[in-house]
Every structure is written in C-alpha cells, then in structure tokens.
Amino acid sequence: QVQLVESGGGLVQAGGSLRLSCAAAGRTFSSYAMGWFRQAPGKKREVVAAISWSGNIYYADSVKGRFTISRDNAKNTVHLQMNSLKPEDTAVYYCAAASSLRRGLDVQSNYDYWGQGTQVTVSS
C-alpha cells in the first residue's frame, strides 16, 4: 500500500519551467515503479514518463528532451522537471505507482496507486 500526493503544478508561460513532486507514504517505495501521467480536457489519460526501481526510464515522444523524471528513494519522492513548456502540455498531471511490472513501464494498467492530480496550465 502506498499513498501519493502531487504538488508543484500551476500557471506558467510558454517556454517556462515547472517542477512537479510526488510524495509517497510507504516504506517499500524503492521497490515500486513510478510514473507520471496527464489528462487534458477531452482526451484520454496518457503516460508522460516513468522510472523503475532499478533506474530504467521511459519518456513519451512528445516530451523527450524537455522533461526529466527522477526519484529519491531516501526521501520517498519522485519528480518531473518540465522545461520549455508548451500550451499543449496543459493537463492534470498524475503520479502513479506500480508494485510490480507485468508489462512495460509505459503501460498504465501496471499502475495500482494514483495521486489526486495537480493542474498544469501553460499560456501562450
């Protein structure tokens, strides 16, 4: 069992940066794969980035070169550094955790626990 709480969302101009954080309550955090997902109005939820317990990383093509996912197991946190933000990045961003991976890092059905989401709005 793990409880996730996202923070760091807000309003930023195009080209700006935001750093999202996800705080996890759970002593087995280091064994979980962690992912960031987003959902824009009228669209399905999509994977943004994910990181396994061993450090394998996945990025969606739309964010490669702009976003960086990282985790600090000692602090039970995962972060998403978002640079060069675009209006199309506007969405609710969710943190999620997978206790085991039955499919790839990018497959959202792997993820068992979800945070409440944090709004990211990028103005043009």
Side-chain angles (χ1 to χ4, degrees):
Q1 296 182 324
V2 61
Q3 184 171 272
L4 308 173
V5 180
E6 304 97 331
S7 62
L11 175 64
V12 65
Q13 294 185 49
S17 298
L18 285 173
R19 183 174 176 84
L20 304 184
S21 297
C22 177
R27 62 186 181 89
T28 60
F29 173 83
S30 63
S31 67
Y32 284 66
M34 302 295 298
W36 285 99
F37 298 79
R38 67 186 182 187
Q39 187 166 23
K43 296 184 177 181
K44 292 185 175 181
R45 187 174 59 203
E46 63 179 357
V47 63
V48 176
I51 184 168
S52 75
W53 65 269
S54 60
N56 293 324
I57 293 175
Y58 167 87
Y59 292 108
D61 288 342
S62 60
V63 306
K64 285 181 179 177
R66 300 189 297 121
F67 291 10
T68 302
I69 189 171
S70 62
R71 66 190 299 164
D72 186 336
N73 291 332
K75 297 182 178 180
N76 284 2
T77 57
V78 62
H79 304 280
L80 185 68
Q81 179 67 45
M82 305 186 295
N83 298 326
S84 301
L85 283 162
K86 305 174 181 179
E88 50 263 45
D89 294 319
T90 296
V92 177
Y93 283 70
Y94 298 91
C95 177
S99 58
S100 64
L101 291 173
R102 304 181 188 278
R103 306 297 293 273
L105 273 174
D106 59 318
V107 180
Q108 63 181 295
S109 61
N110 283 322
Y111 294 85
D112 305 306
Y113 305 99
W114 296 81
Q116 82 287 354
T118 185
Q119 177 70 48
V120 171
T121 302
V122 184
S123 62
S124 61

